[in-house]
Each structure stands twice: as C-alpha cells, then as structure tokens.
Amino acid sequence: MLDEDDLMIYQESQEPDENDDLADDDDDDDDDQEFEGNGETSWCFSQIKGALDDDVTDADIISCVEFNHDGELLATGDKGGRVVIFQRDAASKSSVPRRGEYNVYSTFQSHEPEFDYLKSLEIEEKINKIRWLRRKNQSHFLLSTNDKTIKLWKVSERDKKVEGYNTKEDTGIVRDPSLITALRVPTIKPMDLMVEASPRRIFANAHTYHINSISVNSDQETYLSADDLRINLWHLEITDQSFNIVDIKPTNMEELTEVITAAEFHPTECNLLVYSSSKGTIRLCDMRAAALCDRHAKQFEEPEDPTNRSFFSEIISSISDVKLSNSGRYMISRDYLSIKVWDLHMETKPIETYPVHEYLRSKLCSLYETDCIFDKFECCWNGSDTAIMTGSYNNFFRVFDRNTKKDVTLEASRDIIKPKTVLKPRKVCTGGKRKKDEISVDCLDFNKKILHTAWHPLENIIAVAATNNLFIFQDKF
C-alpha cells in the first residue's frame, strides 16, 4: 500500500547531487512568459550538462529528455539506465532578467541490464521514455521505462530527523526493554537536505516487444504503454494487470505490414489517444467505443506525392514521433524529412508541413547504407502551441514559428558554451558556390544527431540532448 505521502500518486522529481558528473555553464535570461515569433527569436546559451570529454562511453549517451508540468524540474534518462533530475535555480528564476538555469537535484539508477532466459535475449537498461505525473503533494512522481519494464518513482526531500525513540537508540539499535525506565518524547531535529528516489511500483511482463512509448492520462490515474504491435492500459495502483486496448498483430506474422512507432493520450479528453505507424498513418481511438480499439475513430494520412516516389518512400514516411498540442486541438508528427501539423478535425491532410532537412533527399542511398535513415527524431511543442522544435544531424536543431512561418536552424555546439552567447542561424549549402557561414551537405557529421528535445511549458527555455551533453538555451531578452 502507499504511505500517506503517496495517497495521490503524482509529481515530478529532482535532486542536487554534488558528486554527479554533470557539469554546468551559465548564461542569460528569459523573462518573457509569452511565446513570440520563435522563428526570429534570438536564442542564447544558458548551460551545458555532462562531461566535455571527446571519449564518450555508450552508457552516458542521453536517450530521453522531459520537463515536468511547471518546468521546475527537468529529467534526462541515458543508455546506462540512469535518471538525472535537474531543478530550476531559484536565483536565476527571480533575477532580472530571468535566466533559465538548472542544477542537479537527484541522480538514481532506474533500470539494470537483465536477461530473458526463455528467449535468450539481453534486456538493455537504456531509458526509452520518462513521463512526469502532476504534482499532488510534497513529493514528485515520474514513470520511466526501458524495453520491457516500467517503474513509478517517488522523489522526495528530507530535511528533518526524529531523535529520542523509546524502543531504539538513535543509531537504530533496539534497546533492552528492561533498561527502559522512563517515557521519552521523540523530538524532530533539522538535518542536511537529502533527496531520496524510491521505486513505488514496478509494471512488468506485459510486453512481448520493445516499449517505445508511455503516456499518462489526463485523469492522472491511468497510463498507456506501447510496443511495436500492442498498446496496454494500466492503472497506476495496479501492477499485475493491464488491459490491451490496441493490437495490430496479424494472425500470421508474415502478413505484418506496419508497426506502432509512438502513442500518446489526449491532454484533456481521457478517453482519446493517438498512435502513429511505420506506414505514415496516425490513428485516433476513442476508448468509449469498445474495450479493444481495433477500429479507429479517425485516421490521419497524407497521400504520397508521386513525383517523390522512390525505393526509400516507405522508410522515410514512417512516423518517428507524434505529440498532441497543449490545447488538444492539434498534433505534430515527425517523419524522416519533415514535421507536419494536423488539425484533429481534418484527417485528409496536414494543415502545415515544414521541411526539416530536405537537402538530405539526394543522400538517402548513403543514409540507408549507414542505417541513419532509421533514426527516430522526436518533436515538441512550445507551451502556447505557436512554435515547434525537432532535431537534425550535425547537432543541428530546427525551430518553426507557426505564426510568422519563419524557421531557424541552430547548432548545439561546444564552441558556444560561454554565458550569453547568441546562437547564430546555420545554413546548409547543397551545391554550387558555398557562402560564408554556410556548411556543405557533404560536410555534415551524421554521427552527431539531435534526437531528443524538450521545451519548457511556460517559458522560452529549451533542452537539447547532444550525445552525452544536455544543452539548455533560452531566448535573449
């Protein structure tokens, strides 16, 4: 059973840990609560977290990034199964101009490597997704998952201790009852702040295939987990039972034509969810219609442009991420070359399409040979749904302003890790004469890629994961 602190299971977490190897660098500010034209906003460097060595171990590579609901906490997961939580620096928040700076709040080992003896398969400890629960008490709660097991973590602070027990010494040793001659009243004493992370629930043995998504429902009581072929619905209090709500596995696996790539609950309607597929379709399901959502309520799909048809068409049309807007009216989907904005009221085509790196269309053959064409880029909204962000190669990331239709390419580079350094827009040259400040498409480093990004829910502060480093940028006031 939950303890009293857990009665409402929700929240987000962080913890200061001076021994953590995540380094800091400062910068400038963001004191505007409004999201203005982000395509023309000047972004500047705030901080970089993580070791700056060129020799990066695989376990240190960041695999997910997530702000909590008020942006006070920022969590990252890595391939080594660790979760690091950063907390907004109070002084930077109250300074004028306001700065977006975060300090390490808590670090803990979420998952360990396992071995499935029945299938003779290793289960990686890599954290695939982190999702915060809304805060309901003094503690923070988050869900983290690897390929097979989801865990609910409670992160809480302790700055007081109880002394003067009757039946045990302060060291914890039980006292001899015959020596207890008087009744003592325990007293509460202050102590150094300690942040504790403890697993409150472990949800296991429900997925045959690798989990690619988890999403907390707006009712804050249930959540979904999705793998390649199935989506399960869980209650946060029940670990030994889940309900299969989507199953696209064919009777004969030779007839398999698509897999589920991402899934998410609607932000306000607890009965609605969307999931995307490797065939470039997004399906919206209503759980009120049937227990098994094998019939979707809506299907969003854009007809293929015959002029761009090629051997790689099916691969690059696969949707790697889908995110519903904060208002619940729109959603964005990311495929290999573009990001699309959909209106939930219109299934036939997206209302906006933004090319991310169209210059790579001529390079698809070499990208296929190096497996880069299968990279899964994520995407995210800003807090007011007026701008979207996604990653690219060469540590580039793209910000699109939906109001002005302007966009910008920026680079998460160690060359700019000085306070208040303004990020210069980058341009890629596809042929002909290369202008100053442009980079040739042939010079792009495809080993440096921005797959994971997050946008503060209330301010223009963004977090960008570049290999083992977490960059934090903010808009220049």
Side-chain angles (χ1 to χ4, degrees), residues 11-13 66-69 73 75 131-133 141-142:
Q11 174 136 323
E12 304 96 277
S13 144
E66 188 81 3
F67 279 102
N68 74 346
H69 294 88
L73 301 180
R131 290 291 179 265
W132 291 99
L133 282 73
F141 288 85
L142 62 84

Side-chain angles (χ1 to χ4, degrees), residues 330-352:
Y330 305 100
M331 64 181 170
I332 47 176
S333 64
R334 172 68 206 266
D335 56 42
Y336 190 66
L337 293 179
S338 66
I339 188 167
K340 297 172 182 175
V341 181
W342 301 82
D343 186 329
L344 292 191
H345 296 177
M346 187 169 78
E347 305 163 57
T348 52
K349 62 180 181 179
I351 56 172
E352 298 158 30

Side-chain angles (χ1 to χ4, degrees), residues 58 79 111-114 122-126 146-147:
D58 198 51
K79 288 191 173 182
H111 288 71
E112 301 278 0
E114 299 174 59
E122 288 186 15
I123 301 171
E124 286 186 332
E125 65 270 39
K126 175 188 146 195
N146 66 351
D147 285 341

